[in-house]
Amino acid sequence: MRAAAANHILDFADALPGPYGFERSCKFTPAGVNRQRFLVTFPKLALELGADLNGLLERLAFPASHCPPDLLNQGDILHLGVDGNELSSDICKLYVEDAARVRQLWQAGDMPVTEAVPLHRAIKWIPGRGTAVETEYHWLPCYSVDDVLTQVQRYTPEFTEGFAALLALAVRHCAVADLQLLRVSERQGQRLSLDLNLYDAQLTMAQIWPRLQAFEAQVASLAQDSDWTGEEIVGHLACGKERSGDLFVTLYYGACERGGFQ
């Protein structure tokens, strides 16, 4: 099932009636480094044009009884992913993103100051287990470095030094307001993390890697992986507590467009 889950998702993506996004990621935890991860992104409109999401979910043994019945009605962008694991079973993921709401807020100039804006909901499951976990992603609008660090102190204080080092580099290339910060939480377990969208900064892996040394005190596996000298653009940096309570850091990078109109 480990290879099959990834292959099923990639086959589905390649058959979409239009292009899709593909993004890799690497997760650092006390257990080590996991590079067997990716996300594909496509508009929900593809389902109206014939994309067989139900067929894919059946092949991935999706536990439909554990999915909120209104999940697919709450957004306009879908993400599918796999978190591979050599030591245990893979985790499959289905995200629904309400990107339209964010666009409306930007265009109306009515950006919230203190309100957390719901942006993503995700269902994550291990094929064959019959259970799933729901994860919620809230956008925390920030307009200064101090705003970001205030949220870091509130939700992931262990990573304040790392965020400060990263922001010092990122703000040389774009405004803080363009670095979208998300709070990630679950109703079960200890999962609580932050995700910083760095795409507008257009930083490469080679540029960002020296700054990540500030995260090593929390996640020592960062020091074990030095193969980051490439020119791939960094997408997101996520860090915080996993469901188990262990600390983690994840880098998303190398986003590209695949497929095409059929």
Side-chain angles (χ1 to χ4, degrees):
M1 173 59 78
R2 183 173 301 122
N7 289 338
H8 286 324
I9 292 174
L10 292 175
D11 288 345
F12 169 85
D14 287 337
L16 286 168
Y20 65 93
F22 178 85
E23 183 181 46
R24 291 173 287 168
S25 65
C26 182
K27 187 173 185 178
F28 302 89
T29 68
V33 182
N34 181 5
R35 293 175 180 255
Q36 300 181 55
R37 301 162 50 91
F38 68 82
L39 284 172
V40 300
T41 300
F42 59 97
K44 193 170 70 173
L45 177 64
L47 306 185
E48 299 177 22
L49 300 176
D52 185 13
L53 180 61
N54 288 332
L56 171 66
L57 295 179
E58 183 177 349
R59 289 189 289 276
L60 295 176
F62 179 69
S65 61
H66 289 262
C67 178
D70 60 342
L71 179 68
L72 291 178
N73 298 327
Q74 297 187 357
D76 55 319
I77 301 294
L78 301 180
H79 308 268
L80 289 163
V82 168
D83 186 343
N85 195 317
E86 294 181 353
L87 301 178
S88 60
S89 301
D90 287 351
I91 300 173
C92 295
K93 307 174 183 182
L94 169 63
Y95 302 78
V96 181
E97 177 181 354
D98 192 359
R101 183 179 183 190
V102 173
R103 288 193 297 269
Q104 291 168 359
L105 290 171
W106 276 107
Q107 293 168 0
D110 188 23
M111 302 294 288
V113 177
T114 59
E115 175 190 0
V117 181
L119 182 59
H120 302 271
R121 291 175 72 190
I123 296 294
K124 304 175 183 180
W125 72 98
I126 296 174
R129 293 281 181 90
T131 60
V133 174
E134 181 178 355
T135 309
E136 297 180 342
Y137 296 73
H138 286 78
W139 174 34
L140 305 173
C142 295
Y143 305 96
S144 69
V145 170
D146 285 345
D147 286 348
V148 177
L149 294 180
T150 294
Q151 299 290 3
V152 174
Q153 283 282 350
R154 180 178 182 183
Y155 295 111
T156 60
E158 303 91 342
F159 293 98
T160 301
E161 181 183 351
F163 266 98
L166 186 59
L167 287 167
L169 175 62
V171 297
R172 298 178 188 173
H173 301 272
C174 72
V176 173
D178 295 331
L179 301 174
Q180 190 178 64
L181 183 69
L182 302 183
R183 182 188 69 213
V184 186
S185 60
E186 296 174 350
R187 297 177 183 178
Q188 300 175 343
Q190 301 180 63
R191 175 66 188 273
L192 182 61
S193 61
L194 293 176
D195 181 303
L196 184 65
N197 186 324
L198 293 161
Y199 275 117
D200 281 1
Q202 288 291 287
L203 300 171
T204 66
M205 295 299 295
Q207 288 175 302
I208 198 177
W209 189 252
R211 305 285 174 151
L212 295 184
Q213 294 176 2
F215 291 86
E216 289 179 9
Q218 287 72 41
V219 183
S221 56
L222 277 162
Q224 303 168 16
D225 193 287
S226 59
D227 186 22
W228 293 110
T229 58
E231 295 304 308
E232 299 100 333
I233 297 298
V234 178
H236 298 244
L237 183 140
C239 61
K241 287 185 180 180
E242 294 195 280
R243 211 165 295 135
S244 65
D246 289 335
L247 297 178
F248 75 93
V249 173
T250 301
L251 284 173
Y252 296 81
Y253 63 96
C256 62
E257 184 177 288
R258 292 186 176 185
F261 291 103
Q262 301 181 17

